[in-house]
């Protein structure tokens, strides 16, 4: 119907935000350091009142297993009429001490020391150096294992990606640039914040920015 009346139609890649559902196994769920029993649930869902798990946004395999289901469900729609976007809303994943399998080992290879002793007090002023290193690697994990694969998954079903990277524990310019269409949020942020999404578009050769 949208096509008939000359409108485009985009789709969220899940129920709302963040991504997840009741088919996400525990090993693919969000993780934090020091609490193997931690779980973050999707509470806004077509499965209501059943809750599911939020995927581990630092684990590319967890995203790809989720994307197989979502892509199969949406591919008929995204291959109908004008090209649609798959939409990723702002970051709503638990970020405090965010972690994933193998992160500690990767950190030590990269920076030459263990990050674990610092995590319980990572915000302390004296831990500014370890905090910087930790957040730098978290940023790379999120961009390489979530935002870039999200755009690839969009292309796989003839769609494009539209992303609000705001709030994510990333270098925002790089995260926004991983999307086909960076999207800012003027209702939540001062207007000048939009320059971040616009700058990411300009630096990465994208012609569109949405809000």
């Amino acid at each position: 119907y949208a096509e008939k009346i000359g409108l485009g139609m985009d789709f969220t890649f899940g129920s709302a935000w963040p991504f997840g559902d009741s088919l996400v196994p525990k090993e693919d769920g969000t993780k934090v350091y020091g609490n193997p029993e931690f779980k973050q649930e999707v509470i806004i869902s077509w499965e209501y009142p059943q809750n599911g798990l939020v995927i581990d946004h630092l684990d590319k395999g967890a995203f790809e297993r989720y994307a197989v289901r979502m892509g199969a469900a949406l591919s008929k729609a995204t291959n109908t009429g004008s090209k649609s976007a798959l939409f990723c809303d702002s970051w709503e994943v638990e970020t405090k001490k965010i972690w994933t399998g193998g992160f500690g080992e990767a950190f030590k290879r990269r920076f030459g020391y263990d990050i674990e002793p610092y995590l319980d007090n990572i915000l302390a002023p004296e831990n500014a150096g370890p905090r910087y290193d930790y957040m730098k690697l978290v940023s790379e994990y999120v961009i390489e294992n979530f935002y870039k694969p999200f755009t690839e998954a969009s292309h796989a079903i003839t769609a494009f990606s539209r992303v609000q990277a705001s709030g994510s524990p990333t270098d925002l310019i790089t995260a926004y640039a991983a999307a086909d269409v960076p999207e800012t949020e003027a209702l939540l942020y001062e207007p000048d914040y939009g320059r971040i999404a616009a700058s990411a578009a300009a630096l990465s050769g994208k012609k569109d920015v949405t809000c």
Side-chain angles (χ1 to χ4, degrees):
Y1 182 74
E3 183 74 15
K4 181 180 178 181
I5 62 174
L7 294 178
M9 184 169 179
D10 296 345
F11 301 89
T12 56
F13 205 54
S15 56
W17 77 99
F19 296 163
D21 60 21
S22 65
L23 297 179
V24 174
K26 188 176 186 304
E27 57 269 25
D28 282 354
T30 304
K31 298 172 182 62
V32 298
Y33 176 77
N35 184 2
E37 300 307 313
F38 174 84
K39 64 178 181 179
Q40 182 179 0
E41 293 185 330
V42 178
I43 57 173
I44 305 173
S45 172
W46 62 78
E47 298 179 293
Y48 180 84
Q50 181 180 11
N51 293 340
L53 294 179
V54 175
I55 64 168
D56 181 347
H57 284 56
L58 277 62
D59 182 344
K60 186 176 182 181
F63 171 77
E64 289 178 337
R65 287 183 283 276
Y66 174 83
V68 166
R69 297 198 306 278
M70 292 298 110
L74 290 170
S75 61
K76 185 175 181 180
T78 58
N79 282 280
T80 298
S82 301
K83 185 171 281 192
S84 294
L86 299 183
F87 176 57
C88 178
D89 213 316
S90 57
W91 182 267
E92 300 294 336
V93 182
E94 176 57 59
T95 304
K96 186 177 181 181
K97 296 196 286 187
I98 192 169
W99 198 253
T100 194
F103 186 90
E105 294 84 353
F107 185 95
K108 188 170 184 177
R109 288 194 301 271
R110 174 74 171 275
F111 298 104
Y113 67 96
D114 291 324
I115 189 60
E116 287 93 327
Y118 299 94
L119 285 175
D120 285 335
N121 201 25
I122 195 69
L123 296 179
E126 63 269 22
N127 290 334
R131 181 169 66 252
Y132 181 88
D133 292 342
Y134 169 70
M135 292 307 301
K136 183 174 183 179
L137 192 59
V138 166
S139 174
E140 293 175 9
Y141 262 66
V142 173
I143 292 167
E144 295 298 325
N145 297 323
F146 177 70
Y147 284 122
K148 287 183 178 180
F150 175 66
T151 293
E152 293 168 2
S154 301
H155 295 171
I157 58 171
T158 327
F160 60 95
S161 62
R162 184 162 63 86
V163 172
Q164 295 177 359
S166 53
S168 66
T170 60
D171 169 57
L172 288 176
I173 293 286
T174 306
Y176 273 121
D180 293 312
V181 177
E183 176 161 299
T184 186
E185 299 177 79
L187 290 177
L188 293 179
Y189 299 97
E190 294 295 328
D192 283 351
Y193 181 90
R195 294 179 180 176
I196 300 175
S199 295
L203 289 167
S204 58
K206 313 291 171 51
K207 66 177 183 177
D208 296 317
V209 179
T210 52
C211 178

